[in-house]
Amino acid sequence: MDGSILVGNDSELTLTLANGSTFTGSISGNITNAAGNTVSTETGKVDVTLGDDCTWNLTADSKCEPIIKRTSVYLAPELTADIPDSGEKRSSGLHYFFSSPKQMMIDWDTEQTISAFRYLPPQNTREGLVTHYTLWGSTDWNNWQKLASGEFSNIVNNPIWQTIKFAPTKAKILRLDADRLAEGERMTFGDIEIVY
């Protein structure tokens, strides 16, 4: 495909290049009608997706709005034996993600026998601190067993490690639901541990 695609400021374009296709051209919002009158000087909303084996050869200056506008990088110090709670117990050794702002999922490649979950709340804020919880386990992502639920007593005034103990259970996935937070709408934590 060759040429210039005109997308006026009141229009939208979704362009997907797939199957090794090539587009040689540009997208512009500068549009003049047949009478010579300018009808648009700004490009409308444009969403372009390029397949892995596709190319777009630009023939004019183009401006795009980045998807990620800001990012930060923090270089943490190396964990050494003289730092309390460093080493294998740190949460970075677990695969975890948030399936919603108040739900944390932890999963393993194989089934594990687990007997406790430990939660260290954030230390310098009440924002996102879990006060009430429900902990679930599953071996297949479909059938969930309730392992425990309750309240972390006095956690706001005493933000120390909280341990949820339960009967040894086989699980491939753990789900922590933050039923209530001290403040805010998104769960946070200082660290997490699983007891095997």
Side-chain angles (χ1 to χ4, degrees):
M1 181 166 70
D2 296 335
S4 181
I5 300 174
L6 301 178
V7 182
N9 58 357
D10 61 348
S11 301
E12 292 185 15
L13 168 70
T14 300
L15 174 64
T16 302
L17 298 179
N19 301 322
S21 58
T22 299
F23 171 45
T24 301
S26 62
I27 298 174
S28 174
N30 295 323
I31 302 174
T32 305
N33 64 15
N37 299 323
T38 300
V39 294
S40 175
T41 58
E42 296 290 324
T43 304
K45 182 180 178 197
V46 176
D47 184 10
V48 178
T49 303
L50 296 175
D52 290 338
D53 56 347
C54 302
T55 39
W56 179 1
N57 300 314
L58 291 172
T59 58
D61 289 341
S62 296
K63 176 177 79 172
C64 66
E65 185 74 20
I67 294 173
I68 300 173
K69 295 184 179 185
R70 180 178 175 219
T71 186
S72 299
V73 176
Y74 169 72
L75 180 60
E78 181 180 349
L79 294 176
T80 60
D82 60 325
I83 300 173
D85 296 322
S86 68
E88 294 179 11
K89 296 190 305 184
R90 301 300 289 183
S91 60
S92 58
L94 297 171
H95 177 248
Y96 65 90
F97 60 95
F98 292 91
S99 51
S100 74
K102 292 184 179 179
Q103 189 174 80
M104 176 193 292
M105 308 290 273
I106 302 165
D107 68 343
W108 295 271
D109 293 332
T110 59
E111 243 178 50
Q112 306 290 319
T113 300
I114 56 177
S115 59
F117 174 84
R118 299 191 71 216
Y119 169 79
L120 179 67
Q123 297 298 294
N124 300 321
T125 181
R126 294 169 43 116
E127 187 81 20
L129 188 147
V130 178
T131 60
H132 294 75
Y133 64 87
T134 304
L135 187 66
W136 304 84
S138 176
T139 56
D140 61 5
W141 291 96
N142 294 315
N143 301 302
W144 293 92
Q145 176 186 356
K146 186 176 182 180
L147 302 176
S149 65
E151 174 184 5
F152 293 130
S153 297
N154 201 29
I155 192 170
V156 172
N157 296 316
N158 191 20
I160 61 173
W161 278 102
Q162 306 293 312
T163 301
I164 304 170
K165 294 181 180 179
F166 44 88
T169 304
K170 289 191 179 292
K172 194 173 178 184
I173 311 105
L174 272 185
R175 184 179 88 205
L176 176 66
D177 292 338
D179 299 330
R180 195 176 311 160
L181 302 175
E183 290 179 7
E185 297 298 318
R186 180 174 296 278
M187 174 194 316
T188 59
F189 66 97
D191 201 358
I192 55 174
E193 292 181 349
I194 306 298
V195 179
Y196 300 93

